Amino acid sequence: MARWLTLDRLIAEERAGEGMEPLPGRARLNLAREMARTMDRLLVEEKAGDDLLGDGVIDRLGDLAGHWQHSVRLFARVNARWQAELVTRGQVDAATRRNLLFAHAARRWREAPPPRPIIAAGVTSAAPALVRLLRVIADLPQGAVVLPDLDLAMDDAAWAELGRAGAADVPEGDVFGAEDALSHPQYHLKLLLNRMGVNRAEVQAWHRRGAAAAEPARARAISSLFLPPLASRAWVGLAADRRRLAGVRLLTSATIEEEAQAIALLVREALEQPEKRIAFVTADRGLARRVVQHCERWNIAADDSAGRPLSLTPAGRLFGLLAEIAAKGPDPANLVAAFAHPLVRAWDAEARRVWLRGLRAFDHKLRGPSPAPGFEPLRKKAKEAMVEDWWDEAETIVAPLTDWPAQIPLAEALTRLSAVAEAFARSAIWEREDGRALGTMIEELRGHAEAACTMIETADLAGALRDCMNEVAVRPGYGGHPRVAIYGLLEARMARADLLICGGLNEGSWPQPPGADALLAPAILRALGVPGAEFRIGLAAHDLAGCLGAPEVVLSRALRDAEGPTLPSRFLLRVEALLGDDLEKEHRERAIPALLPHLDRLRPPEPPYPRPAPDPSPELRNVPIKVTALDRLLGDPYQFYAQAILDLRQLDPLNADPFSDPALRGTLVHAILDKWHKARLIDRDLAIAPFAESHFAAERVHPLFRALWQPRLIAALERFAGWVQESEAEGRTVLASEISGEMTVEGVKVQGRADRIDQLADGSLAIVDYKTGAPPPKKQVLAGYALQLGLLGLIARDGQFANGKTGQVVAGMPTRFEYWSLSKPKKKDAEGFGYRETPMLEGKAKTGLEPDHYLPFHEDKLAEAITSYIKGNKPFTARENPDYKGYNEYDQLMRLEEWLVRLTDKEGGA
């Protein structure tokens, strides 16, 4: 970690010296981590910084793209400065120390062979220092080197096809060729033997068979399975005994969840046999976690020895959430997630219950578009939720995470985060395996960051800490089932089991994609004599070959994982090709997939769900009708039933997209116009543009929403203001805005709120409805699915509008109905924003209701709704009128997709 943070500083200084723009903190730290890995890779291969200046590298450097040239130069300079610092400190890198220890042991044993056996077993690394030690051990009187899964049956032509593997064709030539079979499972062993100076023919077969080993015939099949490309042509005439994989089964599942369940069932089945040991091996830690969970249904504690990243543990998640709040501010999603974390108030069940009760009320009010940054909008939401005391306590805890400078010392940031974490969870944040791992990481990182004076951009803090935690594996304590183990590929190399299940055999998982070196191009690595990235694919193939040696083996994959369709592993495809026709006859696992559907208790089939048509009692039907709800009642009665009778409302997500929410724009516009009309009673010449800008600022609208929408909204509002002033010159005046009204029809209350009511020159009224989008088409009005404007007119005629605060009452005969829209005009030659239209048949319009028939039409529709539904007994049938283009928030409640497909044309369905 000290080296990592020092490299971070050196990278920043070198880039600044070249006049380059500084990298963000997280990107710079990631580059430092990648550079450290490359340094270790070169140190293991005993390559010094001067080797980057050798003729072989220089000759190839000019042929590389510009970014590769820059990467090599940056790496060389930083590496040189780091090595100079090490000399000044009198220290060496850990990889160098390991090489020195190997060299020391080799020299001591060569000079004085120990009087006891020295055995090196299971070694797969071909690091030069280790190889020299292995050679010394092999030459000792009582020494032996035992190589894992070396294929002695492969013929010499196939062995030669693997490539140079560390042995140059000519003196001073490249020891790795571009055509080397780096991805072959025997390549790294050939490299090891070549570096030891040992011919494969000198290697003897182990003289006895292991306690948990497969039949010898399978070893011959495994040798055939991994033949290199040219040698694979021998498959055409391969004898049956060279194809036999007895005891190997292939399991294919539809999804990763089904695969995990099938593997857990294989484990459960095998445990019925006394003393049988089971190992599940996979490189997919997500699949391993799923298998662990499925095993719990039978109380089988199957711990994943590979562990899981610290960032995915409870302690790591809480610390990461706090870092997100510090980096991005107190946005609702991260706040609620942190406040609801299981470790918060975990020391007292009653205290946690009270805490969560306040949080749920606060969470409910936070739903919808994100409030503006800062605590003030959150205080307002807490007041609306009536949890001010709860919020005062919560704000006090989280306040230290806000208002950080753009750059902060990493050590200070960790100290602040630790203090807040303890305020949230007390000592629980540092308890258990994950808490101890987090505490160790924080202390080490804080100490080294303080020594290195590491600075971090606050915006990058959360990502940088998450990257750090991903490097830490948290392993469970002991106490799992003694005969069940879950391994990663590395742990599985020294494991032994009677049944070995290899899971996640898909491309990208086993083998994992080879991560190319970000700093040194493949040509540079070959010139240096360092194996390329594909070398790891060969190690993954070798791991699979080793797993295939167990008495019983199951190779498993899923057709789909959490991200979509998968591709089978190249190794699994070879197995299927080798088995040929025998695959389906003898090797396909069928019992477990057949048992899976019966694993859970069989439920009787559900009868087809009918089209909902609730028929509530007269008492429940007797509800007021809002002017905005009559459309629903006539178009889709079930939606009215769910909203007005069941009183159900859709719960918006946290951090909802404000740009897709017309209600937010409508609320802002209505409030601005209402306050502007009231202010004009005092100042008739009040300009609307600065007035609206001050309103946007006072409401603390989200900055991004304000930047994108404020200019176009103000442009439309200015056009509205011009129309108002023109109308006043013609004798039309604004009587009221945002005023509520009510009338009673056949004992049913009809309620509504008018955006604006004007008085015309002849004394009649005009009803104005503001729209942030396009007004409803006239066809929709004629169909009875856009009745709001007409119902407001009926309230003005037969009831009244009243302002409870001022005592103002508005009533009269309306003769004018208008929509004022803030969107772009429909006419092609029109410019700007804002236009107005009427749903009535006027002027050159070809459609619409005649002015004399406008109110009677709405009166008839209202009477129909009251007679049939409110005072009648007609069921509230779902989607009764397919032509109604209303809302869809109740589709899931009505289980629309279950019955819609069964509707016939006669019923008016699809």
Side-chain angles (χ1 to χ4, degrees), residues 298-381:
W298 296 294
N299 296 322
I300 300 171
D303 293 332
D304 183 2
S305 66
R308 56 177 172 163
L310 176 58
S311 60
L312 298 182
T313 64
R317 286 185 185 277
L318 178 56
F319 207 82
L321 285 169
L322 299 181
E324 290 282 355
I325 295 172
K328 301 178 181 178
D331 70 287
N334 287 326
L335 270 184
V336 171
F339 290 154
H341 193 280
L343 293 181
V344 176
R345 298 293 189 274
W347 64 84
D348 186 336
E350 179 61 23
R352 179 166 174 81
R353 185 184 65 81
V354 173
W355 175 267
L356 291 180
R357 186 170 57 203
L359 173 61
R360 291 185 185 110
F362 181 64
D363 176 18
H364 190 267
K365 288 297 179 182
L366 272 179
R367 299 283 168 159
S370 298
F375 280 130
E376 189 57 38
L378 299 175
R379 293 190 195 104
K380 184 177 179 181
K381 293 291 184 181

Side-chain angles (χ1 to χ4, degrees), residues 29 32 87 95 164 188 237 270 305 319 330 332 367 392 496 508 543 567 584 626 701 710 762 765 847:
L29 288 168
V87 172
R164 298 174 189 171
H188 61 289
S305 66
F319 207 82
R367 299 283 168 159
D392 288 342
R496 192 156 58 94
D543 291 332
L567 292 174
E584 299 299 331
K626 297 186 183 297
V701 179
Q710 179 174 315
D762 60 0
L765 303 181
T847 59

Side-chain angles (χ1 to χ4, degrees), residues 51 154 157 176 191 207 233 287 405 459 489 501 526 534 568 591 601 619 627 637 640 753 772 847 849 898-899:
D51 292 325
M154 182 186 294
F176 295 102
L191 175 62
H207 61 282
R233 297 173 182 176
L287 175 60
L489 302 192
I501 306 166
R526 286 196 298 272
E534 293 81 4
R601 184 175 299 165
E619 293 78 11
V627 296
F640 180 90
R753 186 179 185 87
T772 54
T847 59
L849 290 167
E898 296 184 44
W899 52 264

Side-chain angles (χ1 to χ4, degrees), residues 26-78:
R26 184 184 182 186
R28 194 178 61 247
L29 288 168
N30 283 338
L31 180 58
R33 186 180 286 111
E34 188 65 34
M35 195 168 286
R37 289 181 180 138
T38 302
M39 287 179 179
D40 283 341
R41 190 175 181 183
L42 295 182
L43 289 173
V44 166
E45 293 291 326
E46 297 184 336
K47 303 300 177 183
D50 293 341
D51 292 325
L52 289 170
L53 303 177
D55 293 339
V57 174
I58 299 298
D59 290 344
R60 288 171 172 81
L61 194 59
D63 298 331
L64 299 178
H67 73 280
W68 280 121
Q69 295 181 19
H70 167 74
S71 296
V72 172
R73 285 196 297 267
L74 177 64
F75 174 77
R77 287 197 302 271
V78 172

Side-chain angles (χ1 to χ4, degrees), residues 281-309:
V281 181
T282 182
D284 186 344
R285 304 334 304 160
L287 175 60
R289 287 192 290 271
R290 290 172 186 263
V291 172
V292 169
Q293 292 167 358
H294 279 291
C295 284
E296 287 178 355
R297 72 183 299 167
W298 296 294
N299 296 322
I300 300 171
D303 293 332
D304 183 2
S305 66
R308 56 177 172 163

Side-chain angles (χ1 to χ4, degrees), residues 781-784 787 849 853-862:
V781 177
L782 292 170
L787 303 173
L849 290 167
H853 295 135
Y854 190 76
L855 287 180
F857 173 81
H858 289 78
E859 200 169 15
D860 292 342
K861 290 294 182 181
L862 178 60

Side-chain angles (χ1 to χ4, degrees), residues 576-759:
E576 293 177 349
L578 180 72
L579 291 173
D581 295 338
D582 291 340
L583 171 61
E584 299 299 331
K585 294 178 182 178
E586 302 176 14
H587 297 276
R588 181 69 68 187
E589 173 60 46
R590 303 186 189 280
I592 294 298
L595 190 58
L596 281 180
H598 308 286
L599 188 60
D600 296 310
R601 184 175 299 165
L602 184 63
R603 296 180 180 180
E606 291 287 339
Y609 190 76
R611 183 183 194 176
D615 183 11
S617 65
E619 293 78 11
L620 294 176
R621 288 174 177 264
N622 190 21
V623 294
I625 299 178
K626 297 186 183 297
V627 296
T628 54
L630 184 60
D631 308 342
R632 291 191 180 202
L633 181 54
L634 295 175
D636 191 348
Y638 185 88
Q639 289 197 34
F640 180 90
Y641 166 78
Q643 185 181 59
I645 297 178
L646 297 183
D647 195 26
L648 296 176
R649 298 291 186 275
Q650 185 178 18
L651 189 63
D652 292 327
L654 289 167
N655 284 353
D657 181 9
F659 311 108
S660 63
D661 184 10
L664 174 63
R665 301 193 294 273
T667 301
L668 287 170
V669 169
H670 284 66
I672 291 171
L673 287 169
D674 178 45
K675 292 179 180 180
W676 181 70
H677 284 304
K678 290 178 172 60
R680 287 187 73 241
L681 297 175
I682 301 173
D683 182 3
R684 303 295 297 177
D685 298 324
L686 179 63
I688 197 169
F691 184 86
E693 289 177 359
S694 63
H695 181 82
F696 274 108
E699 287 296 311
R700 294 181 62 83
V701 179
H702 194 281
L704 187 57
F705 177 88
R706 183 175 175 182
L708 294 178
W709 277 100
Q710 179 174 315
R712 61 186 299 177
L713 291 178
I714 289 181
L717 290 173
E718 287 182 310
R719 183 167 286 181
F720 282 15
W723 291 336
V724 169
Q725 293 168 355
E726 291 173 5
S727 299
E728 287 176 343
E730 299 171 357
R732 175 173 172 170
T733 58
V734 177
L735 282 183
S737 63
E738 299 300 325
I739 187 169
S740 298
E742 182 178 298
M743 67 177 178
T744 302
V745 179
E746 299 182 23
V748 177
K749 292 182 179 180
V750 180
Q751 302 167 336
R753 186 179 185 87
D755 295 343
R756 198 177 89 216
I757 302 177
D758 295 353
Q759 187 175 48

